């Protein structure tokens, strides 16, 4: 099959998802139309994809809403797709590509072969005003009239989309390849709590800082944030270590020496960083947002606010057996429900069904 992926945000979790999916289904032919205006796109991105992948820059695409720029990006995408012969599937990723791409697919008569994966749909964002979120809802509803199938990254994201009256929605859980490392046994009385990701409003580092500050007088607990970003300055509590962006092996070393994964996210699709932590046996304490809710069974807890998070951590500090048991359950949950191969086969089945 010739599968065309269209993505404006060619970075972060969306990039990892796309790289993993194409490598897992490496027998197909791929064309990736990608936005070039993201600072954190890996410089070696071509090496992360199968050798039979072709890349076409989408120069006009940008994250922000701008009618003139977006109209230019729509026309550019139309010209690019029109020149590609024998397309079997068009797979759109994230909100900007999802909105413009569905319109273009309709104009080209390819709606029946178009899939849209939001990767944390735009109207879940809490870093914009209620008025702007209403605009995002309207845009998603409007784009849905142009056809195509929406495939959410988790059941809770699917439910959030359907609550807005949008139809023809299904979900495929994000999947990962479990990290090939083992969590080190902690025989000390010290606890390390870790989080991984970009220091942005979505990840809510202020809450991470506020939680950590409640334990600043406890020498037996420390907090680590692996990542960097525009809100790094919000991590000011003295018991937090911020590593900045680090190499993969160094990140894995931090994870193996951690005891608990803490997410303070305001919204998610289904976070790959949490899945990776779970895959090596870390129990989780996750904010109760879309995406996170799908990851907690008997492997940790969800919390609503700082008070509840602090209470949960204090309870864990008294019970090392709980930490080990819940961590073991995390590994089983990833193996059973968030396996990369299962995710890839599910997408392949959708591709084949839409092609036939």
């Amino acid at each position: 099959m010739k599968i065309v992926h269209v993505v404006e945000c060619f970075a972060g979790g969306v990039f990892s998802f796309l790289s993993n999916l194409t490598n897992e289904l490496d027998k197909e032919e791929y064309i990736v139309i990608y936005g070039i205006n993201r600072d954190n796109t890996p410089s070696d991105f071509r090496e992360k994809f199968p050798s039979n992948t072709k890349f076409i820059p989408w120069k006009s695409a940008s994250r922000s809403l701008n009618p003139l720029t977006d109209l230019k990006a729509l026309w550019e995408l139309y010209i690019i797709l029109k020149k590609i012969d024998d397309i079997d599937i068009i797979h759109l990723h994230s909100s900007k590509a999802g909105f413009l791409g569905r319109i273009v697919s309709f104009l080209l008569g390819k709606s029946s072969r178009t899939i849209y994966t939001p990767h944390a749909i735009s109207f879940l964002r809490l870093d914009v005003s209620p008025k702007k979120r209403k605009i995002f809802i309207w845009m998603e509803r409007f784009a849905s009239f142009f056809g195509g199938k929406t495939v959410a990254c988790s059941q809770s994201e699917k439910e959030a989309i359907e609550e807005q009256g949008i139809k023809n929605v299904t979900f495929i859980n994000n999947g990962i390849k479990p990290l090939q490392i083992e969590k080190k046994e902690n025989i000390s009385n010290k606890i390390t709590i870790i989080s991984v990701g970009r220091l942005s409003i979505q990840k809510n580092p202020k809450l991470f800082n506020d939680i950590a500050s409640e334990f600043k007088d406890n020498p037996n607990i420390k907090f680590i944030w692996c990542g960097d970003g525009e809100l790094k300055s919000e991590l000011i509590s003295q018991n937090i270590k911020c590593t900045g962006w680090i190499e993969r092996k160094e990140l894995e070393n931090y994870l193996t020496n951690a005891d608990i994964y803490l997410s303070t996210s305001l919204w998610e699709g289904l976070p790959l960083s949490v899945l990776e932590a779970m895959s090596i046996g870390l129990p989780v304490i996750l904010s109760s947002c879309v995406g996170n809710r799908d990851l907690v069974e008997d492997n940790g807890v969800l919390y609503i606010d700082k008070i509840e998070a602090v209470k949960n951590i204090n309870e864990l500090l008294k019970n090392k057996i709980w930490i080990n048991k819940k961590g073991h359950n995390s590994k089983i949950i990833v193996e059973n429900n968030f396996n990369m191969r299962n995710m890839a086969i599910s997408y392949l089945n959708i591709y084949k069904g839409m092609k036939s």
Side-chain angles (χ1 to χ4, degrees):
M1 279 188 291
K2 181 184 285 188
I3 301 168
V4 178
H5 291 285
V6 184
V7 53
E8 176 273 318
C9 178
F10 201 44
V14 179
F15 179 92
S16 297
F17 171 93
L18 193 51
S19 172
N20 290 336
L21 179 63
T22 53
N23 279 294
E24 197 67 27
L25 302 176
D26 59 358
K27 300 294 190 293
E28 313 305 323
E29 179 184 355
Y30 295 110
I31 297 174
V32 177
I33 301 170
Y34 66 99
I36 64 171
N37 297 311
R38 294 279 185 158
D39 294 336
N40 51 335
T41 297
S43 58
D44 60 345
F45 67 84
R46 288 177 174 81
E47 299 173 16
K48 309 291 186 183
F49 287 81
S51 58
N52 60 345
T53 306
K54 297 178 182 177
F55 296 90
I56 301 174
W58 188 14
K59 299 176 183 177
S60 303
S62 63
R63 184 188 187 193
S64 60
L65 290 177
N66 183 305
L68 190 59
T69 302
D70 291 340
L71 189 60
K72 186 177 179 182
L74 185 146
W75 178 247
E76 182 186 0
L77 183 60
Y78 177 87
I79 295 299
I80 292 172
L81 287 173
K82 189 175 176 61
K83 290 179 179 178
I84 301 174
D85 296 325
D86 304 321
I87 296 174
D88 292 305
I89 296 294
I90 298 174
H91 194 162
L92 312 169
H93 299 272
S94 293
S95 297
K96 181 57 70 76
F99 182 80
L100 299 178
R102 280 179 285 179
I103 296 173
V104 170
S105 293
F106 175 81
L107 294 174
L108 293 173
K110 299 184 183 297
S111 294
S112 62
R113 296 189 176 191
T114 298
I115 297 171
Y116 163 48
T117 301
H119 301 285
I121 199 159
S122 59
F123 56 73
L124 295 176
R125 289 174 58 183
L126 298 178
D127 60 335
V128 297
S129 67
K131 182 178 180 180
K132 197 163 189 177
R133 286 201 297 274
K134 288 181 179 178
I135 293 173
F136 288 152
I137 291 171
W138 177 87
M139 290 176 69
E140 291 289 349
R141 287 175 178 167
F142 177 77
S144 70
F145 288 117
F146 290 90
K149 179 185 288 291
T150 298
V151 182
C153 292
S154 62
Q155 183 173 343
S156 61
E157 186 181 37
K158 171 183 180 287
E159 292 168 353
I161 294 169
E162 289 179 328
E163 285 173 3
Q164 302 304 326
I166 298 171
K167 299 179 180 179
N168 198 18
V169 185
T170 187
F171 79 95
I172 296 173
N173 281 328
N174 275 352
I176 64 164
K177 290 182 178 179
L179 299 184
Q180 299 303 303
I181 52 176
E182 290 292 329
K183 181 183 178 301
K184 294 181 180 177
E185 183 181 359
N186 185 353
I187 58 175
S188 73
N189 63 345
K190 297 182 183 297
I191 293 291
T192 299
I193 297 177
I194 194 168
S195 194
V196 179
R198 185 176 184 83
L199 286 159
S200 62
I201 291 177
Q202 179 190 359
K203 302 300 183 181
N204 200 6
K206 183 180 185 305
L207 178 58
F208 188 88
N209 182 81
D210 291 348
I211 293 170
S213 68
E214 293 292 320
F215 298 92
K216 62 181 183 295
D217 297 324
N218 186 340
N220 291 327
I221 182 168
K222 66 177 180 178
F223 292 77
I224 295 175
W225 188 295
C226 294
D228 209 331
E230 60 271 20
L231 297 183
K232 183 177 181 179
S233 61
E234 295 194 347
L235 298 182
I236 58 175
S237 185
Q238 293 183 352
N239 58 347
I240 298 176
K241 177 179 180 178
C242 181
T243 67
W245 295 122
I246 52 179
E247 294 295 325
R248 186 71 188 180
K249 287 185 178 180
E250 189 176 357
L251 170 61
E252 292 178 354
N253 185 57
Y254 276 109
L255 286 170
T256 60
N257 286 286
D259 299 287
I260 298 166
Y261 191 96
L262 172 65
S263 168
T264 51
S265 292
L266 293 170
W267 73 92
E268 294 282 1
L270 197 145
L272 300 180
S273 58
V274 180
L275 288 178
E276 290 187 340
M278 289 170 58
S279 77
I280 68 167
L282 288 183
V284 295
I285 299 178
L286 309 182
S287 55
S288 184
C289 68
V290 169
N292 277 352
R293 294 177 197 144
D294 303 80
L295 298 179
V296 176
E297 295 179 23
D298 193 24
N299 63 318
V301 292
L302 294 169
Y303 67 90
I304 301 298
D305 53 23
K306 182 189 80 170
I307 294 173
E308 198 170 345
V310 170
K311 178 184 176 182
N312 290 328
I313 292 171
N314 278 319
E315 290 175 353
L316 292 186
L317 295 178
K318 303 172 187 176
N319 193 344
K320 277 286 190 68
I321 295 175
W322 187 99
I323 292 176
N324 293 332
K325 179 182 177 182
K326 300 298 183 183
H328 176 71
N329 291 342
S330 277
K331 292 184 72 170
I332 294 173
I333 290 168
V334 170
E335 290 169 3
N336 291 342
N337 301 329
F338 304 100
N339 178 282
M340 167 63 69
R341 189 60 188 165
N342 291 343
M343 181 196 82
I345 292 300
S346 295
Y347 272 106
L348 183 62
N349 288 336
I350 287 182
Y351 292 160
K352 289 178 177 178
M354 298 185 82
K355 180 190 173 186
S356 61

